[in-house]
């Protein structure tokens, strides 16, 4: 097993049994589900909206070169400097370089998953800058020195008590564990940072080709402040964030908020098209946009899974995923957890090393059903499994499947093993759930279903014989009412109202014989 | 420049194989494009924006219905929304707020709607155009701005760096007051984007923001708290 797989299994085992974690996630997501359904119901046609959103993203991604060039030309025309980064390393160098050139000391950052992806904070701190996360959730996980738990709700796994303790330890200020009081503590601390920071860094939810703008969605106003006060603004954006026209946002903004957070629209949806323009009151003197590839073109080259680039990072697929809900976000050990993470991480970091993620799925399809841009997530998970095994077959698995094929194709062998199984299970109770149990892998955490005393085939044969031999006895007698003593008169009258039922049922019986 | 060419080159190389449309996996052959959907036909016919309205939440027509929708959205969002008969109503309402909340300093920008109202409060006013000291703005109790549009469907206020005194005025002071005329209230998001494009097509401001309710967070146990970083209170006055 690869190192990430070992890590995943160990962490998953712990968290799946952690009742505190489970109740926290259930409560948080329970509230989300209610609001999400309420907002979805307000749409005149949510399914129509999904299809339209999927079509727009399909158009954008499949003409990505054209739209990117248009985006760059338009945003540069307003005085923005655009940088292209093929790798995470290049993106880090570009951003560290800009901060150095501006002789920056303090940097304030709003939430950006792309920045997590390239480990930007670490690089900036190594280079001697002080970086402060301004989104409350990110601020909390930054104080804890850990990765965000969820791409939309980074501190979802913490209780107010834990956050109070954290603030007390790190900020020396936490009068109570009331969420409002704690939020105000963070507000006070961070206000200083916006005013003092030399550089503001943001991510982007969309990049509009038609007008050359980036769009940032948030609820707190922290990104607004990050983009308003520091002299230099840097936006790190994945090349797949493109939408063709400005008006497309009329669809994407409410869909992102509905699917992602159960809101009709998030608190602030802001477009930035350049640095401070002549005649404007404020805003950064310089605006840098860093376009990040980092393996996105490799995913683009996979025509079958290209639609994974349609993702608008709403987090809806995480929220409904039974795996995510049981093992939690940090267990994945990836930037993007949940179904979308399991689909794209193998592309971003290598299939063989990360194939355990697509295998850790019940393939229930809940993710594909909620995805606002209709990515066929569970299809891709299955395809990853196929590709991973085709490239690197596992000998015992092949052997096991060959054995299984032989077993189910050889009637006498099948009957024999069933008979043995029926005898064997009488003694199963003695070892069940212990390491002596041959089915330990299964029974250590679940009940094993018992083999029925009679097979379906045997039952069917007997039943058929019953109908032919005894006419109206067997199953029918139960429904007949008049023939059996313990049936009430209500049934009798019901039966008499639908006499045509009877012949049909006995017909069925004869078919079976 | 070389990175740019490298990335665009990889994109073009990748796009030589046509993609499978979502929803049509795993049907081979991969190169056959799926039948066009109503949405993609609309797009091809160049009427994409009009199409969106029929999927989004329904909104009424006429000022009264739109105002009722905006009021309903405001209630959910905890925006204070008032429809006034006369401009003088704004002075009275803001005067009452000034006394109740003990405002000391006001921030605003010069606009036909805001200038007189801000001055009527009888407090020192920080005007943002032409630049200002952020520390001073941070000390103001309220920011009074005009806006471009109000969107009934979502209860949003559309502001830009051109219409609302810059980027920070509408988000740094703890209370944001928006002044608008009746004709600025529009039905839905597609309409808002259409008006936005009409107004600024020649020259877009560097920031365009849909503000939907006061600043909020749910990052601690998903419990709603207002005023995370931006304004704790949003007041919208229309006349
Ligand atoms: S894959 Fe779909 S549901 Fe999941 S985060 Fe992306 S857009 Fe949302």
């Amino acid at each position: 097993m690869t190192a990430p797989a070992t890590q995943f299994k160990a962490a998953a085992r712990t968290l799946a049994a952690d009742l505190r974690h489970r109740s926290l996630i259930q409560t948080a997501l329970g509230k989300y589900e209610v609001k999400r359904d309420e907002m979805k119901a307000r749409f005149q046609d949510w399914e129509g909206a999904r299809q339209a959103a999927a079509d727009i993203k399909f158009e954008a991604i499949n003409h990505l070169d054209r739209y990117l060039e248009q985006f760059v030309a338009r945003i540069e025309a307003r005085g923005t400097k655009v940088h292209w980064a093929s790798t995470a390393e290049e993106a880090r160098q570009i951003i560290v370089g800009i901060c150095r050139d501006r002789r920056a000391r303090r940097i304030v950052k709003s939430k950006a998953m792309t920045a997590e992806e390239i480990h930007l904070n670490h690089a900036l701190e190594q280079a001697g800058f002080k970086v402060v996360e301004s989104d409350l959730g990110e601020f909390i996980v930054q104080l804890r020195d850990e990765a965000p738990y969820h791409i939309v709700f980074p501190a979802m796994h913490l209780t107010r008590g834990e956050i109070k303790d954290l603030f007390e330890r790190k900020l020396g200020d936490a009068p109570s564990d009331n969420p409002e009081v704690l939020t105000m503590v963070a507000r006070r601390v961070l206000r200083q940072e916006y005013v003092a920071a030399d550089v503001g860094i943001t991510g982007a939810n969309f990049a509009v080709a038609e007008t050359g703008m980036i769009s940032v969605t948030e609820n707190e106003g922290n990104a607004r402040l990050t983009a308003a006060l520091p002299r230099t603004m840097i936006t790190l954006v994945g090349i797949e964030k493109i939408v063709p026209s400005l008006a497309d946002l009329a669809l994407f903004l409410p869909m992102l908020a509905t699917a992602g957070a159960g809101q009709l629209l998030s608190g602030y949806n802001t477009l930035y098209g350049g640095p401070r323009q002549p005649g404007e009151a404020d805003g950064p003197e310089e605006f840098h946009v860093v376009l990040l590839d980092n393996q996105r073109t490799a995913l683009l080259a996979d025509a079958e899974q290209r639609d994974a680039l349609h993702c608008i990072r709403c987090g809806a697929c995480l929220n409904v995923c039974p795996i995510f809900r049981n093992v939690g976000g940090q267990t994945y050990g990836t930037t993007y957890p949940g179904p979308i993470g399991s689909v794209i991480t193998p592309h971003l970091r290598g299939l063989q090393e990360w194939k355990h993620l697509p295998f850790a799925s019940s393939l229930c399809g809940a993710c594909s059903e909620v995805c606002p841009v209709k990515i066929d997530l569970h299809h891709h998970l299955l395809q990853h499994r196929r590709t991973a095994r085709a490239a690197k077959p596992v000998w015992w698995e092949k052997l096991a499947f060959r054995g299984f094929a032989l077993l189910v194709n050889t009637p006498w062998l099948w009957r024999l093993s069933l008979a043995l199984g029926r005898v064997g299970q009488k003694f199963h109770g003695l070892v069940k759930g212990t390491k002596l149990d041959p089915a330990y892998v299964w029974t250590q955490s679940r009940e094993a279903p018992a083999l029925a005393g009679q097979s379906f085939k045997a039952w069917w044969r007997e039943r058929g014989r019953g109908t032919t031999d005894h006419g109206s006895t067997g199953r029918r007698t139960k429904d007949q009412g008049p023939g059996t003593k313990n049936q009430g008169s209500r049934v009798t009258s019901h039966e008499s109202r639908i006499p045509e039922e009877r012949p049909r049922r006995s017909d069925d019986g004869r078919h079976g014989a | 420049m070389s990175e740019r060419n490298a990335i665009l080159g990889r994109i073009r190389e990748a796009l030589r194989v046509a993609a499978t449309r979502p929803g049509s996996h795993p049907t081979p052959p991969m190169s056959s494009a799926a039948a066009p959907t109503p949405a993609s036909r609309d797009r091809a016919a160049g009427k994409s924006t009009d199409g969106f309205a029929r999927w989004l939440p329904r909104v009424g027509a006429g000022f009264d219905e739109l105002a009722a929708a905006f009021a309903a959205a405001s209630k959910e969002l905890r925006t204070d929304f008032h429809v006034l008969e006369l401009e003088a109503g704004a002075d009275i309402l803001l005067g009452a707020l000034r006394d109740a909340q003990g405002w000391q300093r006001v921030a605003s920008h010069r606009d036909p709607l805001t200038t007189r109202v801000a001055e009527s409060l009888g407090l020192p006013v920080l005007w943002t155009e032409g630049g200002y000291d952020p520390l001073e703005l941070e000390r103001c109790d309220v920011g009074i701005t005009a806006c471009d549009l109000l969107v009934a469907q979502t209860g949003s206020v559309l502001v830009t760096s051109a219409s609302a005194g810059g980027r920070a005025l509408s988000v740094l002071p703890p209370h944001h007051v928006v002044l608008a005329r009746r004709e600025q209230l529009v039905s839905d998001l597609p309409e808002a984007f259409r008006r936005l494009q009409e107004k600024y097509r020649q020259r877009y401001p560097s920031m365009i923001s849909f503000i939907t309710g006061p600043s909020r967070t749910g990052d601690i146990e998903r419990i709603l708290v207002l005023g995370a970083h931006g304004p704790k209170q949003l007041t919208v006055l229309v006349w």
Side-chain angles (χ1 to χ4, degrees):
Chain A
M1 230 184 324
T2 60
T6 317
Q7 182 278 129
F8 178 84
K9 269 193 133 175
R13 183 161 296 148
T14 324
L15 266 148
D18 183 342
L19 296 182
R20 189 202 68 104
H21 172 262
R22 184 174 307 181
S23 90
L24 253 168
I25 300 312
Q26 303 283 14
T27 323
L29 290 178
K31 285 184 199 167
Y32 153 83
E33 278 166 6
V34 172
K35 295 304 286 177
R36 179 201 59 196
D37 291 344
E38 191 189 321
M39 292 306 148
K40 259 191 195 173
R42 289 194 195 173
F43 277 68
Q44 294 178 67
D45 183 359
W46 175 257
E47 286 308 314
R50 283 180 79 207
Q51 187 57 51
D55 287 345
I56 293 170
K57 273 309 232 181
F58 186 87
E59 161 72 21
I61 293 296
N62 285 285
H63 301 94
L64 190 56
D65 51 336
R66 269 205 335 245
Y67 287 118
L68 268 178
E69 284 188 307
Q70 190 185 16
F71 167 78
V72 171
R74 300 279 150 89
I75 202 165
E76 280 183 340
R78 253 176 257 110
T80 310
K81 176 94 184 74
V82 176
H83 309 258
W84 299 72
S86 286
T87 61
E89 177 54 31
E90 281 172 26
R92 287 192 294 262
Q93 275 172 11
I94 290 167
I95 295 172
V96 168
I98 296 169
C99 296
R100 281 218 178 101
D101 290 350
R102 303 302 165 279
R103 298 205 162 35
R105 289 193 348 268
R106 304 167 83 117
I107 299 168
V108 66
K109 205 174 137 283
S110 72
K111 190 168 151 35
M113 289 313 293
T114 38
E116 297 291 334
E117 181 183 325
I118 67 166
H119 303 292
L120 181 60
N121 285 3
H122 182 72
L124 287 168
E125 277 158 11
Q126 291 271 300
F129 301 106
K130 182 180 181 224
V131 193
V132 178
E133 290 285 351
S134 58
D135 172 88
L136 179 60
E138 291 281 345
F139 177 68
I140 293 168
V141 295
Q142 190 191 26
L143 286 180
R144 282 172 61 94
D145 206 10
E146 66 183 13
Y149 179 93
H150 185 289
I151 61 175
V152 179
F153 319 124
M156 190 175 146
H157 59 308
L158 300 172
T159 62
R160 57 180 94 181
E162 286 167 313
I163 295 168
K164 174 186 186 286
D165 293 345
L166 177 73
F167 279 15
E168 225 156 41
R169 228 175 32 246
K170 297 273 177 155
L171 306 173
D173 188 9
S176 89
D177 70 354
N178 179 319
E180 179 150 12
V181 173
L182 292 171
T183 304
M184 290 311 133
V185 171
R187 179 185 170 106
R188 270 198 300 282
V189 173
L190 288 165
R191 285 240 140 185
Q192 318 301 323
E193 300 294 340
Y194 298 119
V195 184
D198 313 293
V199 175
I201 300 180
T202 78
N205 297 84
F206 303 98
V208 182
E210 180 193 18
T211 54
M213 294 170 185
I214 59 130
S215 172
V216 181
T217 295
E218 50 150 351
N219 274 307
E220 299 179 0
N222 60 309
R224 284 280 313 267
L225 289 167
T226 302
L229 300 176
R231 270 200 332 251
T232 303
M233 172 177 173
I234 305 173
T235 297
L236 176 63
V237 45
I239 52 172
E240 85 285 11
K241 290 282 182 244
I242 288 278
V243 290
S245 46
L246 184 61
D248 292 335
L249 295 182
L251 186 67
F252 280 102
L253 299 179
M255 289 188 78
L256 173 63
T258 299
Q263 295 173 288
L264 195 51
L265 208 57
S266 313
Y268 298 91
N269 284 287
T270 312
L271 290 148
Y272 298 100
R276 178 183 187 170
Q277 302 292 296
E280 290 185 345
D282 54 10
E285 286 155 22
E286 280 177 43
F287 181 31
H288 298 266
V289 168
V290 182
L291 290 172
L292 178 70
D293 176 353
N294 201 24
Q295 297 297 317
R296 283 164 175 76
T297 44
L299 176 49
L300 195 72
D302 184 337
E304 181 77 0
Q305 298 200 1
R306 190 176 294 159
D307 65 345
L309 288 169
H310 297 186
C311 176
I312 57 172
R313 306 275 186 265
C314 70
C317 58
L318 283 58
N319 300 341
V320 297
C321 177
I323 309 304
F324 179 87
R325 294 172 72 127
N326 274 292
V327 308
Q330 286 154 347
T331 299
Y332 286 78
T334 58
T335 311
Y336 307 101
I340 185 65
S342 301
V343 169
I344 62 177
T345 307
H347 285 284
L348 304 180
R349 301 194 188 172
L351 178 59
Q352 289 307 329
E353 203 181 342
W354 293 90
K355 64 178 178 233
H356 58 283
L357 294 181
F359 276 98
S361 165
S362 61
L363 297 175
C364 65
C367 46
S368 312
E369 208 165 285
V370 294
C371 176
V373 287
K374 297 188 93 165
I375 300 172
D376 283 333
L377 290 158
H378 72 293
H379 163 80
H380 297 332
L381 292 174
L382 196 55
Q383 206 208 10
H384 271 324
R385 295 186 185 183
R386 222 179 288 134
T387 319
R389 281 298 188 257
K392 226 178 161 188
V394 178
W395 67 266
W396 64 261
E397 234 177 51
K398 281 175 96 173
L399 200 68
F401 273 107
R402 211 169 289 154
F404 181 73
L406 185 72
L407 182 68
V408 293
N409 282 314
T410 320
W412 68 264
L413 203 55
W414 176 249
R415 278 196 298 274
L416 177 67
S417 57
L418 279 184
L420 285 175
R422 279 198 194 91
V423 178
Q425 76 176 357
K426 294 210 168 68
F427 305 96
H428 191 206
L430 298 175
V431 291
K432 194 153 88 184
T434 70
K435 295 223 164 152
L436 291 175
D437 188 349
Y440 178 68
V441 192
W442 181 276
T443 55
Q444 61 177 329
S445 57
R446 327 167 183 70
E447 266 308 307
L451 280 173
Q454 187 186 27
S455 74
F456 175 78
K457 207 171 163 191
W459 171 79
W460 187 261
R461 204 180 291 122
E462 217 168 79
R463 174 185 169 280
R465 218 173 19 245
T467 318
T468 351
D469 294 354
H470 311 293
S472 62
T473 56
R475 197 167 67 83
R476 273 188 62 208
T477 41
K478 278 196 182 156
D479 302 336
Q480 276 196 332
T484 43
K485 281 183 190 140
N486 52 2
Q487 296 273 330
S489 59
R490 235 167 49 87
V491 177
T492 315
S493 67
H494 170 77
E495 281 281 302
S496 63
R497 256 185 284 123
I498 42 166
E500 70 273 20
E501 278 286 296
R502 276 186 215 181
R504 228 198 290 150
R505 233 186 280 146
S506 51
D507 275 348
D508 279 350
R510 255 177 250 123
H511 273 299
Chain B
M1 210 56 197
S2 67
E3 273 313 299
R4 174 193 172 121
N5 290 338
I7 293 177
L8 287 173
R10 284 198 294 275
I11 293 173
R12 291 193 181 113
E13 182 59 35
L15 292 180
R16 283 164 52 158
V17 184
T20 314
R21 264 188 195 275
S24 47
H25 293 106
T27 328
M30 288 193 280
S31 55
S32 77
T37 58
S40 57
R41 274 199 302 270
D42 275 6
R43 171 161 290 275
K47 49 174 185 175
S48 56
T49 29
D50 294 338
F52 297 158
R54 64 170 185 256
W55 296 306
L56 297 175
R58 199 184 299 279
V59 213
F63 179 80
D64 290 339
E65 277 187 38
L66 296 186
F70 194 94
S74 296
K75 197 165 165 234
E76 281 181 18
L77 295 163
R78 310 217 206 152
T79 304
D80 295 315
F81 172 59
H82 303 272
V83 180
L84 308 171
E85 290 302 316
L86 299 163
E87 186 178 337
D91 300 6
I92 300 168
L93 225 141
L94 293 182
L97 275 172
R98 169 200 60 203
D99 299 340
Q101 301 186 343
W103 293 348
Q104 305 283 331
R105 300 165 60 83
V106 176
S108 190
H109 63 112
R110 304 241 179 231
D111 178 276
L113 279 188
T114 53
T115 308
R116 203 200 54 71
V117 174
E119 280 170 347
S120 79
L121 288 166
L123 295 172
V125 184
L126 173 77
W127 303 103
T128 57
E129 46 272 297
Y132 60 90
D133 177 1
L135 284 168
E136 294 243 332
L137 181 60
E138 214 269 322
R139 280 195 289 273
C140 290
D141 302 296
V142 58
I144 302 177
T145 74
C147 67
D148 291 279
L149 298 168
L150 303 177
V151 187
Q153 186 172 53
T154 53
S156 307
V157 180
L158 176 62
V159 299
T160 64
S161 41
S163 70
R167 295 190 183 194
L169 179 57
S170 53
V171 77
L172 193 59
H175 190 155
H176 179 203
V177 174
V178 180
L179 308 179
R181 306 303 306 255
R182 288 179 178 238
E183 54 277 13
Q184 289 180 293
L185 178 61
V186 300
S187 58
D188 56 11
L189 287 169
E191 176 66 15
F193 275 101
R194 204 155 33 234
R195 297 266 200 115
L196 185 70
Q197 280 176 301
E198 259 169 42
K199 182 168 173 184
Y200 294 113
R201 198 183 305 272
Q202 301 307 319
R203 200 166 148 248
Y204 282 102
S206 72
M207 182 214 72
I208 299 166
S209 189
F210 288 85
I211 299 176
T212 310
S215 159
R216 60 195 53 231
T217 185
D219 274 344
I220 302 178
E221 293 190 7
R222 310 283 321 122
I223 293 166
L224 176 71
V225 177
L226 297 184
H229 293 282
K232 296 174 196 178
Q233 217 179 331
L234 175 64
T235 303
V236 180
L237 308 180
V238 183
W239 66 83

